[in-house]
Structures are given as structure tokens and as C-alpha cells.
Amino acid sequence: MRAIAANAVLYDVALTAYIVAMAAALGHLVRRRESLWRFAMIATQVGWILHTLAITVRGVELGRLPILTPSELVSVVIWAAVLLEIWAERQYGMRALGAFVLPVVVGLGLGLPTGLRTLALEPAIRSAWIWVHVALALLGLAALVLNFAAALMYLLQERQLKARRPSAVYYRLPPLETLDRLSHRTLTLGFPFLTAGLLLGLLWAGVAWGSVLTWDPIALFSLVMWVVYAATLAGRTVGHWHGRRAAYFAIVGFCALLLTLGAGLLLQGRHGA
């Protein structure tokens, strides 16, 4: 089997495992069956291992780290987000976390127009700095996926608490204080990585492109995304935001994150499309 075929098959099987895990995690959320949670965890871990192999094979095929095109970036964001989800679920004992992170993972995975198959390396971006820039930004984005999941869980649990007859979901979600703490920690973890990555990208753009103001969809939406998350972190730190307001801002920030990834995939720019 050729390397490119193995890469594509591994990626597709990994995505299938994520889909199966998502269905089991959602089933656990509403049916309260522990067997579904265990099955979801196994499927998630199998998918992550296969995804790791797919990225590795792709890297061997290209002779470089596969993190230099929009499709590759989305793939690695998914990979890192799943890894953080597995860790956070064990660390915080949040068995419902997969039901909120995996739909995002599957949505991003299915949204890849070409998977890992048709990618092109732009010669101009052969720089050591680009690896550091991309790696830092990816770590930040992965943490912010969990920030979104925690915010969504917070709003849902708050709604359940206000209801006179809460549904089965109420008994699966952690207390509001735990969810707010997870949202805050993932933001404080992801934002410094995102900021450092974007700053390095800004400095590199001035050298490689001749100007930091060159039109590029990813750069433009990345700036918008950074402003939203900076405002959220400032609000939490200085304004002592917490709870619902912080959750709403986390969701707005995630929408900006999706626009950034979508712009990279769909619009022509210096990062490629």
C-alpha cells in the first residue's frame, strides 16, 4: 500500500472512531449507562492513536512536520484537542466532557475538504521559525476548544438548575463552579500559547512577505480571534468576570476561531488554501 493511501485510510478510520465515540458519549449523557462511557473512551483513544499514525505517515511522506497548510493545521488542532480531552476527562473526572468536545472534533474533521490528501508546501515558508509559530498556535487553539466545551456545559447546567424538573443531563454535568474553573484554566493555558504563536507569525510575516499588513484571511481572522480572547481574559482577571458572562465570551471566541480556520480552508491567501 502506498504511503499516501495508508495516510488517507488511517485518517478516515480515525475520524470514524471519533464519530463512534461521539455517539457513545452522547448516549451516555442522556441514558446514564456507564458501559457507553467506557466504550466512548476506548473509541476515542483508538481514534487518537490512528490519527497519530496518520499524521506520522504524512510527515514521513512529506519529509517535514505536516503542519504547514490549513488542512494540516485543522487536523493537528483536532489531534491536540482530543489529547487534551482525554487528559481533562481523567484529571477532573468529567465523564460528560467527551459529549461536548467530540462533536466539535467530528465537525472540524468532516469539514476538511481534502483531508490530508492534497496538500502543497509553499517554498517561501521554509523557515525554522514557522515550526515554532505553528506549534505554539496549535497548542493554544486546542486548549480553546476545551474552553468552548466547558462554557457550553456551564450554560447547559445553569439552564438545568433553573428548570423545575431537570433532565438526565443535569446528573451527568459537574457543578457550575467546576465548569467555570475548567473554562478559566483552559483560557489561561491556551491564550499565552496563542499569543506567542501569533506574535512569532507577525514577526516572520514582516521578513518573509515584506510587510505585516499583507492581506491574508488567516492573519486577519486570527487578529479578531485574539482580540476576543484577550478581552475575555482581561475581563476575568481585572473585571472578575465569571459564570455566564465569561461563558458567552468563550463561545464568541470559539466562533472567531472557526472563522479563522474556515477562512484558511476556503479563502485564498498567503497561508494557502
Side-chain angles (χ1 to χ4, degrees), residues 10 13-18 21 39-53 82 86:
L10 285 169
V13 175
L15 187 57
T16 302
Y18 291 152
F39 183 76
M41 282 297 293
I42 293 173
T44 301
Q45 293 171 16
V46 169
W48 185 81
I49 292 172
L50 293 171
H51 196 170
T52 303
L53 291 174
V82 172
I86 293 172

Side-chain angles (χ1 to χ4, degrees), residues 135-157:
L136 291 174
L138 289 176
L139 287 173
L141 293 178
L144 294 173
V145 170
L146 265 68
N147 174 253
F148 165 74
L152 199 61
M153 293 167 71
Y154 182 96
L155 293 176
L156 182 58
Q157 184 68 319

Side-chain angles (χ1 to χ4, degrees), residues 3-4 6-8 10-11 48-67 72 75-76 79 116:
I4 188 170
N7 158 54
L10 285 169
Y11 178 79
W48 185 81
I49 292 172
L50 293 171
H51 196 170
T52 303
L53 291 174
I55 292 173
T56 302
V57 171
R58 185 66 188 178
V60 171
E61 172 198 348
L62 296 174
R64 62 168 174 82
L65 292 176
I67 54 174
E72 290 174 340
S75 174
V76 179
W79 177 85
L116 298 175

Side-chain angles (χ1 to χ4, degrees), residues 141-191:
L141 293 178
L144 294 173
V145 170
L146 265 68
N147 174 253
F148 165 74
L152 199 61
M153 293 167 71
Y154 182 96
L155 293 176
L156 182 58
Q157 184 68 319
E158 185 186 54
R159 186 181 180 87
Q160 293 290 317
L161 288 171
K162 290 181 178 178
R164 292 184 177 181
R165 301 179 62 182
S167 68
V169 174
Y170 166 79
Y171 301 98
R172 289 299 180 199
L173 296 179
L176 291 179
E177 293 77 11
T178 303
L179 293 171
D180 190 53
R181 187 165 57 250
L182 176 62
S183 176
H184 192 189
R185 287 182 177 177
T186 49
L187 177 61
T188 54
L189 171 66
F191 185 76

